[in-house]
Amino acid sequence: MSDLLERLRGRGWRLTSQRRVVAQVLDGDHVHLTADEVHALAARRLPEISRATVYNTLGELVSLGEVIEVSTAGRAMRYDPNARHPHQHLVCSGCGTVRDVHPNGDPLAVLPAAERFGFTVSDVEVTYRGLCPSCG
Amino acid sequence: MSDLLERLRGRGWRLTSQRRVVAQVLDGDHVHLTADEVHALAARRLPEISRATVYNTLGELVSLGEVIEVSTAGRAMRYDPNARHPHQHLVCSGCGTVRDVHPNGDPLAVLPAAERFGFTVSDVEVTYRGLCPSCG
DNA sequence: TCTTGACTTGGACTCTGTCCATCGTAGGAT
DNA sequence: ATCCTACGATGGACAGAGTCCAAGTCAAGA
């Protein structure tokens, strides 16, 4: 993620302090923060950053493919910067903790053409649910 | 679903007109309604039914395992009465339409024990995303 | 340094869902 | 058939997550 800012500059992004801080907060490979958590962490470095800006920036990072949205059923969306290596998620039904997991095989490949109903299928999201050691 | 009411009575449910109407609305094998859609359809038969009752009843049906919750990323939760036959979902990123699909193999089986981190994994939810013929 | 349009702000707003005090009624008891 | 009562329904207030917008700010090219 160290070169994320480089890549963004290359895409014509204006490098504001707000965007820099959001990118820094998302740094790391096993981070799954909610928008509000990102906002809270960003505000430690840049107290006046607004929620709207955090939402905007996260949305832009998602549509650029730099960050993945993980929906955790009812709870708030989480943002996963580990978008460069394919993986799935294991979510604790108790506390909402998220872990990256790597199932065998390609989950897209197991959907037969006859089951695609003319859709252009571009993506699969696999979410395993269960109780983590602390909640179990 | 015709015998859903029988099953519910068997579980000690009090059969109120509200619950009957919600069950009727959910009748069918490829229905994926939001709570508000269920409420709107139910209100056509029973105009004074409240949103709270619809939410309560849907929640009860889910915890009884009669109905499955389908989370569609940001949009409202959808309720799928086809809980008796295992299946996954194909969601259109354009219009939000949901179709039932049946991938090959058991998605739970492809997650190695080493990738479970001590969780008691009880469930998998596979969501294929893409554009439907109308939106593509 | 100046200019300009992209970016940020914050507060109001929407949408989805929950909570709770009060009222109504299904269905067993008589 | 009627009565009782606990379970269920009601609706309005509330809460959390996210969006929108008009006005102000500033990064970066000229």
Side-chain angles (χ1 to χ4, degrees):
Chain A
M1 171 86 36
S2 52
D3 43 11
L4 170 59
L5 292 176
E6 296 309 309
R7 267 181 275 136
L8 295 177
R9 195 200 309 267
R11 303 217 205 199
W13 258 37
R14 205 139 118 185
L15 282 196
T16 66
S17 52
Q18 290 85 349
R19 288 173 165 179
R20 232 186 310 265
V21 166
V22 169
Q24 283 168 1
V25 166
L26 283 176
D27 198 356
D29 271 351
H30 296 290
V31 173
H32 304 92
L33 300 170
T34 65
D36 266 1
E37 288 165 351
V38 171
H39 179 239
L41 291 172
R44 298 225 292 241
R45 292 160 172 261
L46 193 63
E48 67 281 14
I49 193 172
S50 74
R51 281 189 345 119
T53 296
V54 170
Y55 275 103
N56 287 342
T57 305
L58 288 173
E60 289 154 1
L61 288 170
V62 168
S63 57
L64 289 178
E66 296 287 351
V67 164
I68 287 173
E69 282 184 317
V70 184
S71 56
T72 54
R75 292 192 180 77
M77 204 67 102
R78 290 180 177 270
Y79 293 86
D80 178 350
N82 187 14
R84 309 181 76 68
H85 300 291
H87 63 279
Q88 306 301 338
H89 294 104
L90 172 54
V91 179
C92 175
S93 316
C95 60
T97 301
V98 177
R99 305 228 33 166
D100 288 353
V101 295
H102 303 81
N104 297 321
D106 176 5
L108 247 186
V110 299
L111 187 65
E115 286 279 311
R116 298 191 183 201
F117 302 101
F119 279 55
T120 309
V121 181
S122 52
D123 192 35
V124 213
E125 188 182 321
V126 182
T127 307
Y128 296 89
R129 297 188 195 287
L131 291 172
C132 73
S134 322
C135 293
Chain B
M1 171 85 41
S2 52
D3 44 9
L4 170 59
L5 293 175
E6 297 309 310
R7 266 181 277 136
L8 295 177
R9 196 200 308 268
R11 304 216 204 198
W13 257 37
R14 206 139 117 184
L15 282 197
T16 66
S17 52
Q18 291 84 348
R19 287 174 166 179
R20 233 186 309 264
V21 167
V22 169
Q24 283 168 1
V25 166
L26 282 177
D27 198 355
D29 270 350
H30 296 288
V31 173
H32 303 93
L33 299 169
T34 64
D36 266 2
E37 287 166 351
V38 172
H39 179 239
L41 292 172
R44 297 225 293 240
R45 293 160 172 261
L46 192 64
E48 68 281 14
I49 192 172
S50 73
R51 280 189 345 120
T53 296
V54 171
Y55 275 102
N56 286 342
T57 306
L58 288 173
E60 289 155 1
L61 288 170
V62 168
S63 57
L64 288 178
E66 297 287 350
V67 164
I68 287 173
E69 283 183 316
V70 183
S71 55
T72 55
R75 293 192 179 77
M77 204 66 104
R78 290 180 175 272
Y79 293 86
D80 178 349
N82 187 14
R84 309 181 77 67
H85 301 292
H87 63 279
Q88 305 301 337
H89 295 103
L90 173 53
V91 179
C92 175
S93 316
C95 59
T97 301
V98 178
R99 303 225 38 165
D100 288 352
V101 294
H102 304 82
N104 297 321
D106 175 5
L108 246 186
V110 298
L111 187 66
E115 286 279 311
R116 299 193 181 199
F117 303 100
F119 280 55
T120 309
V121 181
S122 51
D123 193 34
V124 213
E125 189 182 322
V126 182
T127 307
Y128 296 89
R129 297 188 194 285
L131 291 171
C132 73
S134 322
C135 292

